[in-house]
Amino acid sequence: MTGPWAGERSARGTGDGPIAAAFTAVSEILGRHVEVLSLTLRSVTPGRDSVGQVFLQAKIDGKSLSGHSASTDIVEASARALVHALNKARHAERLEASSLNSVYLWGV
């Protein structure tokens, strides 16, 4: 997994299945508390190599955020949906910090 650090990082996770294990590993890599509130998976194309679309709602460090993704591999799609929600959390934190800085620096 790549991120805002130099190089790649890896982790192992355990859970009730491969999706839960992937979520545990992603959470460990990023050092964030993640609680998946809901996960919905549906097929969006017909056939054996169907694309699975994942929607999830997660509580990340106390904030409720959603994420979505699609892939022929549902574990990959689920992990990408979680990363999508984590990216939203990071963006929200940057906006909050920027807003606080403008208040402190400009007295707005």
Side-chain angles (χ1 to χ4, degrees):
M1 176 174 214
T2 59
W5 49 78
E8 293 184 12
R9 299 182 72 185
S10 65
R12 289 180 183 228
T14 60
D16 291 339
I19 293 173
F23 287 175
T24 301
V26 170
S27 179
E28 181 182 319
I29 287 172
L30 298 177
R32 314 260 332 231
H33 176 71
V34 176
E35 177 186 353
V36 177
L37 303 173
S38 69
L39 182 124
T40 304
L41 172 66
R42 70 180 187 140
S43 174
V44 293
T45 59
R48 274 183 79 169
D49 58 350
S50 178
V51 172
Q53 187 173 35
V54 175
F55 295 95
L56 70 79
Q57 188 76 24
K59 195 170 262 192
I60 301 167
D61 295 332
K63 295 179 181 165
S64 182
L65 297 155
S66 63
H68 62 89
S69 184
S71 175
T72 55
D73 181 334
I74 61 169
V75 176
E76 176 189 351
S78 298
R80 287 179 181 268
L82 179 59
V83 169
H84 184 223
L86 286 160
N87 285 338
K88 286 181 178 182
R90 186 170 180 211
H91 183 69
E93 289 164 358
R94 286 181 176 171
L95 288 175
E96 288 171 1
S98 172
S99 176
L100 287 174
N101 284 338
S102 67
V103 170
Y104 292 138
L105 297 175
W106 299 101
V108 177

